[in-house]
């Protein structure tokens, strides 16, 4: 049995010394099944990550966020967890995990792991027990079971739709229904049940004791629910998502105020450690509701996905930056800047599409396999280089997604038979799904699966991966990989306080700001070159002379 009580502070192994290490960290997201395959089964694994720690060190990241690596049937790419305190045998063992933690820490890299508290897998022992137990039993109370409606209960309790499409309720053989906000294989937990609270605390201590430095909390705004009658219809709820959620916490399942009681409980656990364990909320809530998730009494940080949702447009970027710096001053946390993750179309591709509201998230393009509207690959790459320099100059932490350092485009033309994402299957003809950003990384220009592993990859890789493989870019100082390495290195040297001051330049399409100690960042969003402001050029997303070309960023030391 593993120890899940907190260890005394002095016994915490490899503890990074500074409690505020996360405030301005560059965090690299690893989607483990698609990063590096050590055992040649086509799925990335833990030993694959350990073998690539020198790559991460050279890249210059401060921390790794590891998406779920737990035992899972992969109904939702690992976000259907069958056992929260183990490693999927296809990905390795707990011993492999410990070895990876030591290797990361020895290279000065912290580790954040994903916690999925809204739902388990339907293969989790609790759900299996619930299925074998009668309605009203203690085992069923850990989930959200309800009787159906209609004379024989054959209708689901509500007409709600799941996030991935299709009904949000699934019927079990004895006639009861259970709630699943995501796939049917992901039954929602009942956070009014004390076993659920106790078990997650055990899980947080289990990984903290193994040296994990922080946690990313999946759909952090979903856990608590109010299913008291009368329940709203789907017609009443369906537009109440993300920015449109009510500001008073009255939605029956998203962003209820009671969820913060859970995070206050978790905060006490995080603070048992030295330094305290960190956490970041994935909470798709309106901006004014974010600071509570990010407060020091709660999770401590919350994702800001506003730049990920913004078009390549100076005024949108400026508004998002201003708003989020204000929100950070309210919560006391630093902000979190994100352009891509495993759930969205890669930003290199988004930026190569027309920047209008219908196509900016790239979904309509995916439905046409990139034929219409036409993707300008080079423009996307150029803007993405400019964008990352802008992000890395902002105060706060930056979360990068594996492959963006290679300037990887979305793989938009995966064949139907390769698809894995439930959002594709449950939404056919509407959603292309998220597989296109999850294709295993190219490490070498040739070889089976471009160096990902020795025996193929679980999603097919396109031929153009040969041109963008790590080994190719390592030999090219003009590559995006070199730009990321240089930027991360320079950022460590340049970064001091968290202040940002705008420099007025009289051009609304140019964003120019100053950080402490003379570090300045200028991004030209326009299609015309603009004059280079005075200062020494530290780094630029494209070659510059006395002008900054279109769609480019420059770092200056003034
Ligand atoms: C994760 C997704 C996942 C969903 C359900 C998210 O927000 O990032 O990948 O499908 O939660 O767990």
């Amino acid at each position: 049995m593993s120890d899940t009580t907190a260890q005394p502070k002095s016994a915490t192994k490899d503890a990074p010394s500074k409690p505020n290490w996360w405030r301005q960290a560059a965090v690299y997201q690893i989607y483990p099944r698609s990063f590096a395959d050590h055992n040649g089964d086509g799925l990335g694994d833990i030993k694959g990550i350990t073998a690539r720690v020198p790559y991460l060190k050279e890249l210059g990241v401060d921390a790794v966020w590891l998406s779920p690596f737990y035992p899972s049937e992969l109904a939702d790419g690992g976000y259907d967890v069958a056992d929260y305190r183990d490693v999927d045998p296809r990905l390795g063992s707990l011993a492999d995990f410990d070895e990876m933690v030591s290797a990361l820490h020895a290279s000065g890299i912290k580790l954040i792991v994903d916690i999925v508290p809204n739902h388990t897998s339907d293969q989790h022992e609790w759900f299996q027990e619930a299925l074998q137990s009668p309605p009203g039993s203690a085992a069923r109370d850990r989930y959200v079971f309800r009787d159906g409606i209609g004379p024989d209960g054959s209708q689901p309790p509500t007409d709600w739709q799941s996030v991935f499409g299709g009904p949000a309720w699934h019927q079990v053989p004895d006639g009861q229904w259970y709630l699943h906000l995501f796939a049917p294989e992901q039954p929602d937990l009942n956070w009014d049940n004390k076993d659920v609270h106790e078990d997650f605390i055990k899980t947080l201590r289990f990984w903290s004791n193994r040296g994990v430095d922080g946690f990313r909390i999946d759909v952090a705004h979903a856990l608590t629910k109010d299913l008291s009658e009368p329940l709203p219809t789907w017609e009443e709820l369906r537009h109440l998502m993300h920015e449109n959620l009510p500001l008073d916490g009255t939605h029956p399942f998203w962003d209820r105020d009671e969820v913060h009681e859970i995070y206050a409980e978790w905060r006490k656990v995080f603070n048992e450690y030295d330094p305290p364990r960190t956490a970041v909320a994935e909470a798709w809530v309106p901006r004014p509701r974010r600071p509570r998730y990010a407060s020091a009494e709660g999770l401590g940080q919350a994702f800001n996905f506003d730049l990920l949702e913004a078009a390549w447009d100076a005024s949108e970027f400026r508004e998002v930056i201003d708003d989020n710096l204000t929100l950070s001053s309210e919560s006391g946390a630093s902000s979190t800047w994100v352009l891509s993750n495993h759930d969205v179309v890669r930003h290199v591709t988004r930026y190569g599409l027309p920047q209008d509201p219908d196509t900016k998230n790239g979904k309509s393009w995916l439905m046409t396999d990139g034929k219409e509207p036409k993707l300008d690959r080079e423009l996307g790459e150029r803007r993405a280089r400019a964008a990352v320099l802008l992000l890395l100059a902002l105060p706060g932490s930056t979360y990068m997604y594996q492959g963006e350092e290679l300037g990887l485009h979305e793989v938009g033309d995966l064949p139907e038979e390769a698809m894995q994402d439930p959002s594709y299957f449950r939404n056919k003809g509407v959603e292309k799904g998220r597989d296109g950003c999850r294709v295993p990384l190219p490490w070498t220009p040739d070889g089976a699966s471009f160096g990902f592993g020795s025996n193929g990859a679980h999603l097919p890789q396109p031929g153009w991966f040969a041109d963008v493989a790590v080994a190719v870019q390592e030999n090219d100082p003009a590559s995006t990989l070199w730009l990321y390495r240089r930027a991360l290195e320079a950022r460590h040297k340049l970064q001091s306080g968290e202040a940002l001051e705008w420099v007025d330049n009289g051009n609304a399409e140019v964003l120019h700001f100053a950080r402490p100690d003379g570090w300045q960042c200028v991004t030209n969003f326009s299609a015309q070159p603009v004059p280079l402001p005075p200062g020494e050029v530290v780094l630029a997303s494209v070659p510059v002379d006395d002008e900054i070309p279109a769609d480019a960023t420059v770092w200056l030391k003034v």
Side-chain angles (χ1 to χ4, degrees):
M1 274 289 286
S2 307
D3 186 9
T4 51
T5 53
Q7 290 179 355
K9 293 187 176 188
S10 57
T12 309
K13 274 193 302 176
D14 300 324
S17 52
K18 296 189 196 124
N20 280 340
W21 64 265
W22 52 275
R23 291 194 69 91
Q24 299 210 64
V27 185
Y28 182 86
Q29 181 190 356
I30 291 184
Y31 191 74
R33 292 174 179 83
S34 299
F35 185 68
D37 172 18
H38 188 265
N39 67 1
D41 65 355
L43 275 186
D45 46 37
I46 302 287
K47 276 186 187 291
I49 298 170
T50 308
R52 303 290 178 182
V53 169
Y55 172 78
L56 299 168
K57 185 173 182 191
E58 195 165 358
L59 184 57
V61 297
D62 302 301
V64 159
W65 148 29
L66 195 56
S67 280
F69 51 86
Y70 314 107
S72 169
E73 287 300 301
L74 303 185
D76 181 20
Y79 284 88
D80 46 320
V81 179
D83 180 351
Y84 290 85
R85 296 186 287 274
D86 206 349
V87 174
D88 190 322
R90 287 166 294 182
L91 271 64
S93 63
L94 282 169
D96 295 340
F97 183 89
D98 293 343
E99 206 185 310
M100 175 189 70
V101 174
S102 302
L104 286 167
H105 284 173
S107 289
I109 301 170
K110 277 75 167 178
L111 177 63
I112 295 170
V113 299
D114 225 305
I115 295 290
V116 188
N118 179 63
H119 41 265
T120 67
S121 155
D122 62 350
Q123 302 303 309
H124 190 283
E125 62 173 4
W126 274 2
F127 194 71
Q128 290 301 315
E129 189 188 337
L131 288 182
Q132 280 142 31
S133 306
S137 58
R140 287 223 171 161
D141 189 58
R142 296 184 186 123
Y143 292 90
V144 186
F145 277 91
R146 289 286 183 281
D147 291 330
I149 54 173
D152 53 358
S154 64
Q155 300 299 310
T158 66
D159 64 346
W160 299 348
Q161 295 287 296
S162 76
V163 173
F164 294 151
W169 296 92
H170 191 82
Q171 196 171 28
V172 300
D174 61 33
Q176 272 211 314
W177 299 76
Y178 68 85
L179 179 71
H180 58 90
L181 292 182
F182 294 87
E185 297 86 352
Q186 293 167 299
D188 278 51
L189 284 163
N190 170 19
W191 276 89
D192 289 332
N193 180 296
K194 102 176 174 345
D195 293 354
V196 175
H197 285 250
E198 285 170 3
D199 201 67
F200 273 89
I201 285 180
K202 217 166 156 182
T203 294
L204 296 174
R205 288 203 180 113
F206 178 89
W207 295 110
S208 296
N209 290 344
R210 293 197 107 88
V212 159
D213 303 286
F215 300 94
R216 178 262 189 191
I217 311 304
D218 190 61
V219 278
H221 58 310
L223 281 44
T224 52
K225 281 135 192 148
D226 178 6
L227 297 192
S228 48
E229 309 278 347
L231 288 166
T233 62
W234 186 239
E235 192 47 39
E236 290 165 298
L237 286 183
R238 72 195 181 95
H239 296 296
L240 302 180
M241 292 284 285
H242 306 169
E243 281 297 323
N244 297 327
L245 281 170
L247 294 175
D248 57 1
T250 54
H251 192 282
F253 49 85
W254 298 129
D255 191 31
R256 297 192 58 81
D257 290 335
E258 306 89 84
V259 80
H260 298 288
E261 291 164 22
I262 301 171
Y263 301 135
E265 221 172 79
W266 290 11
R267 174 47 56 193
K268 290 194 193 122
V269 176
F270 300 147
N271 289 350
E272 288 165 4
Y273 294 86
D274 181 19
R277 296 323 190 218
T278 66
V280 56
E282 187 217 17
W284 293 86
V285 298
R287 287 183 200 177
R289 300 276 297 176
R290 258 185 235 150
R292 207 160 159 201
Y293 291 87
S295 76
E297 298 74 47
L299 292 174
Q301 220 184 17
F303 275 121
N304 137 31
F305 295 119
D306 300 336
L307 286 183
L308 174 156
E309 296 198 303
W312 180 246
D313 176 88
S315 60
E316 264 195 67
F317 267 61
R318 167 106 192 216
E319 186 202 305
V320 164
I321 294 167
D322 282 338
D323 277 9
N324 281 286
L325 293 179
T326 306
L327 294 176
S328 327
S329 60
E330 268 173 46
S331 66
S334 59
S335 199
T336 51
W337 309 105
V338 189
L339 293 172
S340 280
N341 62 33
H342 65 296
D343 289 331
V344 297
V345 175
R346 285 185 177 276
H347 65 274
V348 181
T349 299
R350 298 197 312 264
Y351 289 155
L353 293 164
Q355 299 294 291
D356 63 62
D358 291 338
T359 54
K360 76 180 178 194
N361 65 13
K363 280 189 180 156
S364 52
W365 169 77
L366 283 181
M367 293 313 297
T368 64
D369 287 348
K371 289 178 197 102
E372 192 59 45
K374 195 160 167 24
L375 170 67
D376 185 336
R377 294 179 80 90
E378 210 181 297
L379 181 66
E381 286 155 26
R382 183 182 171 89
R383 286 176 173 167
R385 289 168 65 103
V388 74
L389 286 197
L390 190 163
L391 252 74
L392 288 172
L394 291 170
S397 36
T398 303
Y399 285 77
M400 296 169 285
Y401 177 51
Q402 68 180 36
E404 70 166 74
E405 77 280 18
L406 306 176
L408 272 199
H409 272 281
E410 186 84 1
V411 181
D413 54 0
L414 286 172
E416 162 142 26
E417 61 276 14
M419 297 300 209
Q420 300 175 7
D421 184 1
S423 68
Y424 171 72
F425 293 107
R426 292 177 64 83
N427 249 315
K428 263 197 178 165
V430 183
E431 289 263 350
K432 186 88 184 227
R434 301 163 295 177
D435 293 311
C437 67
R438 300 175 176 180
V439 175
L441 291 191
W443 293 91
T444 54
D446 38 34
S449 64
F450 299 104
F452 166 70
S454 56
N455 196 16
H458 67 98
L459 281 167
Q461 299 156 300
W464 52 262
F465 265 24
D467 304 330
V468 290
V470 172
V472 173
Q473 298 204 28
E474 270 176 337
N475 291 323
D476 176 8
S479 67
T480 297
L481 179 58
W482 272 62
L483 181 74
Y484 269 71
R485 286 180 176 170
R486 285 187 172 135
L488 288 164
E489 189 187 6
R491 169 182 152 107
H492 275 132
K493 294 188 188 133
L494 293 164
Q495 215 169 34
S496 52
E498 291 184 36
L500 176 150
E501 250 178 62
W502 291 106
V503 178
D504 190 13
N505 57 40
N507 183 341
E509 291 188 86
V510 176
L511 295 189
H512 185 169
F513 58 84
R515 296 287 308 277
D517 301 327
W519 180 20
Q520 296 198 2
C521 175
V522 194
T523 302
N524 177 12
F525 284 79
S526 76
Q528 313 303 325
V530 296
L532 180 71
E536 175 205 340
V537 174
V538 182
L539 193 61
S541 62
V542 291
V544 292
D545 42 38
D546 52 353
E547 292 190 318
I548 308 178
D551 299 311
T553 296
V554 176
W555 287 359
L556 299 168
K557 190 82 204 243
V558 178

